[in-house]
Amino acid sequence: MGLVDRIRGEFIDIVEWTDDSRDTIVWRFPRYENEIKMGARLVVRESQTAVFVNEGRIADVFAPGTYTLETQNLPLLATLKGWKYGFHSPFKAEVYFVNTRQFTDMKWGTQSPVILRDAEFGMVRVRAFGAFALRVVDPAALLRELAGTDPQFRTEEVQEYLRQLIVGRLGNALATAQVPLLDLAARQDGIGAQLATVLTGELASTGIAIPKFVIENISVPPEVEQAIDTRSRMGIAGNLDDFTRFQAANAIQTAAANPGGAGEGLGLGVGMAMGQRIAASLAPQAAPADAPVPAAAPAAAPAGPPPLPGQAAEWFLGAGGQQQGPFDLSGLSAQVSGGVLNRGTLVWKSGMGAWLPAEQVPELAQLLARTPPPLPPQA
């Protein structure tokens, strides 16, 4: 190698960067002790920006393209170096390539729950996770505020800072959206777009923008999930009476699965009672012609006292395949007198698990005392 080749090797003729890492935001050109030759070629590819720094101060910024480095296209660097009349000798400067493409593999999530106030469920703790895209929109600001003199500034160095910023803004975004908890899934896109705008404004001073913010899932604690599931089952049942029948049907299935005579007997008894009740609900509600009309309770005097506790009309009878009632104790007494209510008549009130014969209900023992037992079989 001749002397001329050695001298030429000390100068840099081409300044460029080809990224093969997929996660590098800023890369400093390895100048070391070499000097950049005046007239050297600068190649800035698409999705890149080149920033020249002289003695710690940002000078010229180059957009994508190919440039011949001369004092004419390095006006700020020429001013910092005092090249008033132009200069054609090699010079030293730091060159930073900034990647301006979108980094789409950024993940975020809430390590601790975010507390929200929901109109339907009250105070609720929610967790969320998703992804977002990052893009550098102001390379000079990024170098000043975040990258500094780092020769290779990667996404992992800024991801934790962004995650903390996202979690700090998530609760406020969910609260100001005023979306009920059950409707959050349908509004995730709108909330994500709102958060992208808020975060871009927050990060403007660092030269970073968030063009896309995605909420993949919002989850609630198990107890809230159970409450939602219960409400869904009640909605499918339609009303409280249907839901009670639904619960009774589940009890029948559980009893039938229980081996032994007790489980089978309970399943059979409850099943017969439920069958009668469902048949009664499907049949016309008019009473049969031969059934006695329940005696009307006497009207209370306007100035009289209220009815005694325990006299509420809460008893139902199953007579002739029809559901009758509700009756209070006075009404049941009239049914005893009319022959409708006897020891074998099925009865039910709120709190009982199933229909039972009247003689098995201790509360009706006094009423049934006036009813003679069935005659013994004739010899």
Side-chain angles (χ1 to χ4, degrees), residues 129-175:
F129 65 87
F132 64 96
L134 176 152
R135 167 177 281 172
V136 178
V137 293
D138 189 344
L142 177 69
L143 291 176
R144 284 193 298 264
E145 300 296 332
L146 293 179
T149 59
D150 192 340
Q152 194 168 14
F153 185 69
R154 297 177 178 270
T155 56
E156 62 184 15
E157 300 179 54
V158 72
Q159 188 165 5
E160 179 61 23
Y161 166 70
L162 295 177
R163 190 198 66 80
Q164 294 176 359
L165 186 63
I166 289 170
V167 174
R169 299 294 180 269
L170 179 64
N172 183 64
L174 294 177

Side-chain angles (χ1 to χ4, degrees), residues 9 89 96 137 154 156 166 181 185 221 287 291 300 320 325 331 341 355:
S89 298
Y96 292 87
V137 293
R154 297 177 178 270
E156 62 184 15
I166 289 170
L181 182 64
L341 175 58
W355 292 79

